[in-house]
Amino acid sequence: MANRIKQRLNAGKNKLKYNFAHMLELPKEVILDLPKITLVGTLQLQLENHRGIIEFSEEQVRINTKEGVLVITGEQFFLRNITEQEIVLDGKIKALSYQK
Amino acid sequence: MLIRKLWAYFWGYVVILVEGRWLERFLNLALTRNILFWDVAYKGKNRLLMKVTVNGFIPLRHVARKTGSRMRIQSKHGLPFLWMKVKKRKMLAAGLIFFVVAIYFFSSFVWFVELVPKEELKYLTEERIMEEICALGLRPGVPRWNVDLRTMEKELAVRLPELSWVGITLQGTKAQVEVVEKTLPPDDKDEKTPAHVVAAKDGIIDEILVIAGEGRVEEGDAVTAGQVLISGIIYPRQAEDTDQDRQQEQETRLQQPRYVHAEGVVKARVWYQAVGEADIVERGRRRTGARVHRISIKLGNKEIIIRGPKNSPYEYYEVVRQVKNLPQWRNFRLPVEVITSTYHEVEKYRVNRGVKGAEQLAVRRASEKIKKQLPAEAKVLSKRVERLDEGSKRTVKMRVIYEIQEDIGKTMLLQE
């Protein structure tokens, strides 16, 4: 498992960071600056480490992250809270996907 | 989240409607400028409704200008706006403050004094007690801080010796005075009331000493409870005088019996008996002393354990549950209970006393029962022990009979 993740991360600096994080058991989203998504059922989505909103409407939200664009589709979207680090999105979540 | 909402309410926030073609850019720009906003709702194409702090509103205007959006304030919330409204209506605010102060002020006085006799008053009247309470300084209109309840309780009991206990509690503006009267003994010290001395219990008279009245029993007599021992009615003796005139005179004078308050000491032998039981081999459970507490809250039918184990950690145990309810308000009771359960570990034990040991224990138990009934000045004359069930192999039953000498005289007022 760990090997596959290593392969996926492009070599060099990232690999070093990953090994470092893995060894010291540090949260990887902090070291590698990756988005961390927490879902509460289909009701709420919490996203840490985002890089800005690309699109916001009732049925679709697109958020820029380091991994690409996170596309969330559903109904009745509502931005409960939004800061530079974190987004809390309420609504009825149907699908999540990453666009490169 | 709640803290943040309170914070926003404290400093004030506005609800704004933003219109523009690049609203996402508007949001991102606002984020990079550290403007606090939240609750962003989609209101159709190119329209967003959101909340923003008062401090964030001015920099947000720059953001709007840059992204070519239009902002409109929909409503204003929070304390600063409330304060502005209040400033416009000064009298309302003054009235509000006055109201709170007045409530506080007037609730720091005693307005009602209530007398609650625990039993029906026999020697005192309510008016008499209320008079004393007033004299002590507890009356409607007295400030609460001037009322020293404990000294007042003591002082009231001193002023009214008929009271054995006084308890004063303040419940808000109501002072409740609870009183209990002493139970005074019936007035048998009054030498003028005619009375008999009667037997309080069955027995055989050992000694009789008449101080007043006429002895009706002699030493060695068996008496039953209620029997007159010393009579308070003295019948006239046969006149022995030979003088006719004086005899005549005396007869008319002595024809009527004299009534006195009989008094005397009547010592009699009485018997007390009791039966004690003991197992030859006793089995049972007793606490080992180890225990564990559990605190839980019961909400409706659900029990939530706050502290302590879910199940008893011991194999054999006893549970003691203490349930605390929140105070009831009218007919409404919150379905919340705090339950403290204590698990006591118990162990099984087995003691073999042998027949001798069991007999001794049974006698001791019986003697203890008797000693509880004995009067203080009783003199033990003899003690007899007999076994009741010779055949039983498991238990021993012993009867103990005490022969006691005590004063069995009891004053009984004569019914006129």
Side-chain angles (χ1 to χ4, degrees):
Chain A
M1 187 66 195
N3 275 331
R4 259 200 286 164
I5 296 171
K6 268 188 221 172
Q7 275 171 20
R8 263 199 50 227
L9 292 159
N10 29 18
K13 212 172 164 187
N14 263 342
K15 195 174 167 188
L16 188 75
K17 272 187 183 172
Y18 179 86
N19 283 336
F20 178 70
H22 194 71
M23 199 169 68
L24 295 178
E25 292 182 0
L26 292 168
K28 292 176 189 68
E29 76 273 7
V30 177
I31 301 297
L32 298 171
D33 195 26
L34 293 176
K36 184 186 178 187
I37 303 167
T38 313
L39 273 176
V40 183
T42 58
L43 294 174
Q44 196 179 60
L45 178 140
Q46 263 181 55
L47 174 64
E48 289 167 50
N49 271 332
H50 72 94
R51 288 183 170 182
I53 297 169
I54 295 169
E55 188 196 337
F56 175 70
S57 73
E58 237 172 356
E59 274 89 34
Q60 178 165 299
V61 178
R62 290 195 291 158
I63 303 167
N64 197 13
T65 69
K66 200 194 172 192
E67 284 286 274
V69 178
L70 177 68
V71 184
I72 309 152
T73 47
E75 287 166 22
Q76 296 158 20
F77 282 145
F78 176 71
L79 275 173
R80 172 70 61 197
N81 192 17
I82 174 163
T83 63
E84 246 194 313
Q85 291 83 35
E86 190 193 37
I87 290 175
V88 180
L89 183 72
D90 277 15
K92 202 171 166 190
I93 296 155
K94 284 183 175 162
L96 297 180
S97 62
Y98 277 113
Q99 278 178 353
K100 275 287 173 185
Chain B
M1 277 307 268
L2 181 74
I3 300 280
R4 230 208 45 191
K5 272 184 187 165
L6 283 173
W7 189 253
Y9 185 81
F10 189 78
W11 292 110
Y13 64 90
V14 286
V15 177
I16 53 171
L17 185 75
V18 190
E19 282 174 301
R21 289 180 60 192
W22 297 285
L23 287 180
E24 284 82 8
R25 218 169 91 77
F26 174 88
L27 291 178
N28 290 330
L29 217 56
L31 281 182
T32 55
R33 295 197 178 183
N34 277 325
I35 295 165
L36 274 179
F37 62 97
W38 64 97
D39 282 6
V40 184
Y42 186 77
K43 290 280 164 194
K45 208 165 163 29
N46 296 335
R47 274 152 72 97
L48 288 178
L49 196 69
M50 63 177 82
K51 291 173 184 167
V52 62
T53 58
V54 171
N55 288 343
F57 183 71
I58 292 158
L60 204 63
R61 271 218 303 248
H62 291 279
V63 175
R65 211 169 296 144
K66 264 193 160 175
T67 57
S69 320
R70 286 202 304 137
M71 277 166 47
R72 261 185 302 164
I73 293 178
Q74 298 281 342
S75 56
K76 300 166 182 173
H77 303 267
L79 284 186
F81 299 109
L82 199 71
W83 181 235
M84 278 195 272
K85 271 189 211 164
V86 166
K87 273 210 252 178
K88 279 182 204 155
R89 304 183 65 177
K90 285 204 175 73
M91 274 322 282
L92 181 78
L96 201 76
I97 291 164
F98 176 77
F99 177 75
V100 171
V101 170
I103 288 267
Y104 181 80
F105 180 73
F106 285 110
S107 64
S108 57
F109 288 90
V110 174
W111 291 118
F112 307 96
V113 179
E114 203 177 83
L115 182 66
V116 188
K118 283 277 180 195
E119 286 154 26
E120 212 178 305
L121 294 171
K122 278 183 236 155
Y123 311 106
L124 291 165
T125 56
E126 294 209 358
E127 289 78 46
R128 175 89 185 85
I129 298 172
M130 288 304 281
E131 218 172 82
E132 284 301 330
I133 294 169
C134 269
L136 281 172
L138 182 63
R139 63 180 90 82
V142 162
R144 282 172 58 129
W145 57 85
N146 270 356
V147 178
D148 184 357
L149 296 179
R150 298 292 93 77
T151 29
M152 214 170 262
E153 282 169 4
K154 279 181 203 149
E155 189 63 26
L156 190 63
V158 169
R159 285 189 183 200
L160 297 168
E162 291 89 343
L163 297 180
S164 68
W165 181 79
V166 181
I168 308 176
T169 46
L170 275 182
Q171 292 173 343
T173 59
K174 188 172 79 176
Q176 209 168 41
V177 185
E178 287 174 301
V179 294
V180 179
E181 274 187 327
K182 279 177 189 160
T183 316
L184 298 177
D187 251 347
D188 61 4
K189 288 278 180 285
D190 184 5
E191 308 266 320
K192 280 165 193 149
T193 342
H196 286 313
V197 173
V198 299
K201 47 190 102 171
D202 298 354
I204 293 176
I205 307 296
D206 263 352
E207 253 179 75
I208 174 160
L209 174 71
V210 178
I211 297 168
E214 200 174 65
R216 284 287 162 84
V217 286
E218 275 172 24
E219 280 156 32
D221 282 0
V223 294
T224 53
Q227 192 180 335
V228 176
L229 302 173
I230 304 171
S231 175
I233 307 166
I234 303 173
Y235 291 103
R237 239 174 279 146
Q238 288 299 310
E240 284 159 26
D241 223 309
T242 44
D243 192 304
Q244 285 292 312
D245 289 347
R246 277 182 67 183
Q247 194 183 338
Q248 205 80 55
E249 188 191 331
Q250 264 187 339
E251 253 172 41
T252 48
R253 193 154 61 88
L254 290 174
Q255 209 59 261
Q256 293 295 314
R258 261 186 334 119
Y259 295 97
V260 296
H261 182 87
E263 221 181 307
V265 178
V266 184
K267 285 198 173 158
R269 265 177 290 155
V270 292
W271 287 268
Y272 288 86
Q273 63 164 332
V275 176
E277 252 184 292
D279 293 328
I280 295 170
V281 177
E282 195 176 298
R283 288 189 185 82
R285 291 173 157 205
R286 64 179 164 215
R287 291 181 182 178
T288 61
R291 57 171 198 253
V292 165
H293 297 286
R294 190 180 84 184
I295 299 169
S296 52
I297 289 180
K298 199 174 173 191
L299 293 163
N301 290 327
K302 267 192 186 160
E303 202 174 327
I304 301 158
I305 297 164
I306 303 266
R307 220 178 62 205
K310 193 171 178 224
N311 293 309
S312 166
Y314 312 118
E315 193 183 350
Y316 302 108
Y317 61 94
E318 287 169 6
V319 194
V320 179
R321 279 161 70 93
Q322 263 186 320
V323 180
K324 272 183 202 147
N325 285 313
L326 290 171
Q328 191 175 352
W329 183 76
R330 302 263 169 107
N331 259 341
F332 175 71
R333 182 181 277 284
L334 280 170
V336 181
E337 287 174 345
V338 178
I339 301 171
T340 313
S341 315
T342 310
Y343 292 96
H344 294 275
E345 189 185 20
V346 294
E347 62 178 8
K348 289 181 172 172
Y349 70 95
R350 182 174 179 279
V351 185
N352 192 348
R353 293 199 177 89
V355 179
K356 272 265 150 5
E359 277 180 0
Q360 277 172 8
L361 185 64
V363 168
R364 204 160 62 229
R365 283 179 181 165
S367 302
E368 268 161 23
K369 276 189 214 167
I370 290 173
K371 274 172 188 153
K372 273 182 203 155
Q373 305 168 25
L374 290 184
E377 76 280 13
K379 198 166 97 190
V380 179
L381 297 176
S382 71
K383 179 178 158 187
R384 216 168 70 232
V385 171
E386 59 188 33
R387 189 162 170 193
L388 288 178
D389 52 340
E390 212 54 66
S392 174
K393 289 223 170 58
R394 292 184 54 234
T395 56
V396 172
K397 229 183 215 177
M398 303 294 285
R399 173 186 283 153
V400 178
I401 301 166
Y402 271 64
E403 191 181 0
I404 304 289
Q405 192 185 60
E406 65 175 69
D407 188 351
I408 61 165
K410 189 176 76 176
T411 302
M412 196 179 76
L413 296 180
L414 275 174
Q415 301 299 317
E416 300 284 332

Coordinates of all heavy atoms in Angstrom, one line a residue, chain B residues 194-226:
Chain B
P194 N -57.2 14.8 92.7 CA -57.3 13.5 93.3 C -56.8 12.5 92.3 O -57.1 12.6 91.1 CB -58.8 13.3 93.6 CG -59.3 14.7 93.5 CD -58.5 15.5 92.6
A195 N -56.0 11.5 92.7 CA -55.5 10.5 91.8 C -55.3 9.2 92.5 O -55.0 9.2 93.8 CB -54.2 11.0 91.2
H196 N -55.3 8.1 91.8 CA -54.9 6.8 92.3 C -53.5 6.5 91.9 O -53.0 7.0 90.9 CB -55.8 5.7 91.6 CG -57.2 5.6 92.1 ND1 -57.5 5.7 93.4 CD2 -58.4 5.5 91.4 CE1 -58.9 5.6 93.5 NE2 -59.4 5.5 92.3
V197 N -52.9 5.5 92.6 CA -51.7 4.9 92.0 C -52.1 3.5 91.5 O -52.6 2.7 92.3 CB -50.6 4.8 93.0 CG1 -49.4 4.0 92.5 CG2 -50.1 6.2 93.4
V198 N -52.0 3.3 90.3 CA -52.4 2.0 89.7 C -51.2 1.2 89.2 O -50.1 1.8 89.0 CB -53.4 2.1 88.6 CG1 -54.7 2.8 89.1 CG2 -52.8 2.8 87.4
A199 N -51.4 -0.1 89.0 CA -50.3 -0.9 88.5 C -50.1 -0.7 87.0 O -51.1 -0.8 86.3 CB -50.6 -2.4 88.8
A200 N -48.8 -0.5 86.7 CA -48.6 -0.4 85.2 C -48.5 -1.7 84.5 O -48.7 -1.8 83.3 CB -47.3 0.4 85.1
K201 N -48.1 -2.8 85.3 CA -48.1 -4.1 84.7 C -48.3 -5.2 85.8 O -48.4 -4.9 86.9 CB -46.7 -4.3 84.0 CG -45.5 -3.9 84.9 CD -44.2 -3.9 84.0 CE -43.8 -2.5 83.6 NZ -42.5 -2.3 83.0
D202 N -48.4 -6.4 85.3 CA -48.7 -7.5 86.2 C -47.4 -7.7 87.1 O -46.3 -7.5 86.6 CB -49.0 -8.8 85.4 CG -50.2 -8.6 84.6 OD1 -50.9 -7.6 84.7 OD2 -50.5 -9.6 83.8
G203 N -47.7 -8.2 88.3 CA -46.5 -8.5 89.1 C -46.9 -9.0 90.5 O -48.1 -9.0 90.8
I204 N -45.9 -9.2 91.3 CA -46.2 -9.6 92.7 C -45.5 -8.5 93.6 O -44.3 -8.2 93.4 CB -45.6 -11.0 93.1 CG1 -46.4 -12.0 92.3 CG2 -45.7 -11.3 94.6 CD1 -45.9 -13.4 92.4
I205 N -46.3 -8.0 94.5 CA -45.8 -6.9 95.3 C -44.8 -7.3 96.3 O -44.9 -8.3 97.0 CB -47.0 -6.3 96.1 CG1 -48.2 -5.9 95.2 CG2 -46.5 -5.0 96.9 CD1 -47.9 -4.8 94.2
D206 N -43.7 -6.6 96.3 CA -42.6 -6.9 97.2 C -42.6 -5.9 98.4 O -42.3 -6.2 99.5 CB -41.2 -6.8 96.5 CG -40.7 -8.1 96.1 OD1 -41.4 -9.1 96.5 OD2 -39.7 -8.2 95.3
E207 N -42.8 -4.6 98.0 CA -42.7 -3.6 99.0 C -43.8 -2.5 98.7 O -44.0 -2.3 97.5 CB -41.4 -2.8 98.8 CG -40.3 -3.1 99.8 CD -39.1 -2.3 99.5 OE1 -39.1 -1.1 99.6 OE2 -38.1 -3.0 99.0
I208 N -44.4 -2.0 99.7 CA -45.4 -0.9 99.4 C -45.2 0.1 100.5 O -45.1 -0.1 101.7 CB -46.9 -1.4 99.3 CG1 -47.8 -0.2 99.2 CG2 -47.3 -2.3 100.5 CD1 -49.1 -0.6 98.6
L209 N -45.0 1.4 100.0 CA -44.8 2.5 100.9 C -45.8 3.6 100.5 O -45.7 4.1 99.4 CB -43.3 3.0 100.7 CG -43.0 4.3 101.5 CD1 -42.9 4.0 103.0 CD2 -41.7 4.8 101.0
V210 N -46.7 3.8 101.4 CA -47.7 4.8 101.0 C -47.4 6.1 101.6 O -47.0 6.3 102.8 CB -49.1 4.3 101.6 CG1 -50.2 5.4 101.3 CG2 -49.5 3.0 101.1
I211 N -47.3 7.1 100.8 CA -47.0 8.5 101.2 C -48.3 9.3 101.4 O -48.5 10.0 102.4 CB -46.1 9.2 100.2 CG1 -44.7 8.4 100.2 CG2 -45.8 10.6 100.6 CD1 -43.8 8.8 99.0
A212 N -49.2 9.1 100.4 CA -50.5 9.7 100.6 C -51.6 8.8 100.0 O -51.3 8.0 99.0 CB -50.6 11.0 99.8
G213 N -52.7 8.7 100.6 CA -53.8 7.8 100.1 C -53.9 6.6 101.0 O -53.4 6.6 102.1
E214 N -54.6 5.6 100.4 CA -54.9 4.4 101.2 C -54.4 3.2 100.5 O -54.8 3.0 99.3 CB -56.4 4.4 101.4 CG -56.8 3.5 102.6 CD -58.3 3.6 102.7 OE1 -59.1 3.2 101.8 OE2 -58.8 4.1 103.8
G215 N -53.5 2.4 101.1 CA -53.0 1.3 100.4 C -54.0 0.2 100.2 O -54.8 -0.1 101.1
R216 N -54.1 -0.4 99.1 CA -55.2 -1.4 98.8 C -54.6 -2.8 98.6 O -55.3 -3.7 98.5 CB -55.9 -1.0 97.5 CG -56.9 0.2 97.7 CD -58.1 -0.3 98.4 NE -58.8 0.8 98.9 CZ -59.7 1.5 98.2 NH1 -60.0 1.2 97.0 NH2 -60.3 2.6 98.7
V217 N -53.3 -2.9 98.5 CA -52.6 -4.2 98.4 C -51.6 -4.3 99.5 O -51.2 -3.4 100.1 CB -52.0 -4.3 97.0 CG1 -53.0 -4.5 95.9 CG2 -51.1 -3.1 96.7
E218 N -51.2 -5.6 99.6 CA -50.2 -5.9 100.6 C -49.0 -6.6 100.0 O -49.2 -7.2 98.9 CB -50.8 -6.7 101.8 CG -51.5 -5.8 102.8 CD -52.3 -6.6 103.8 OE1 -51.9 -7.7 104.0 OE2 -53.2 -6.0 104.4
E219 N -47.9 -6.7 100.7 CA -46.8 -7.5 100.2 C -47.2 -8.9 99.9 O -47.9 -9.5 100.7 CB -45.6 -7.4 101.2 CG -44.9 -6.1 101.1 CD -44.2 -5.7 102.4 OE1 -43.7 -6.6 103.1 OE2 -44.1 -4.5 102.7
G220 N -46.8 -9.4 98.8 CA -47.1 -10.8 98.5 C -48.3 -10.9 97.6 O -48.5 -12.0 97.0
D221 N -49.1 -9.8 97.4 CA -50.3 -9.9 96.6 C -49.9 -9.9 95.1 O -48.9 -9.3 94.7 CB -51.1 -8.6 96.8 CG -51.9 -8.7 98.1 OD1 -51.8 -9.7 98.7 OD2 -52.6 -7.7 98.4
A222 N -50.6 -10.7 94.3 CA -50.4 -10.6 92.9 C -51.4 -9.6 92.3 O -52.5 -9.6 92.7 CB -50.7 -12.0 92.3
V223 N -50.8 -8.7 91.5 CA -51.7 -7.7 90.9 C -51.7 -7.8 89.4 O -50.7 -8.3 88.8 CB -51.2 -6.2 91.4 CG1 -51.4 -6.1 92.9 CG2 -49.8 -6.0 91.0
T224 N -52.7 -7.2 88.8 CA -52.7 -7.2 87.3 C -52.7 -5.7 86.9 O -53.0 -4.8 87.7 CB -54.0 -7.8 86.8 OG1 -55.1 -7.2 87.4 CG2 -54.1 -9.3 87.0
A225 N -52.3 -5.5 85.7 CA -52.1 -4.1 85.2 C -53.4 -3.4 85.3 O -54.5 -3.9 85.0 CB -51.7 -4.2 83.7
G226 N -53.4 -2.2 85.8 CA -54.6 -1.3 85.9 C -55.2 -1.4 87.3 O -56.1 -0.6 87.6

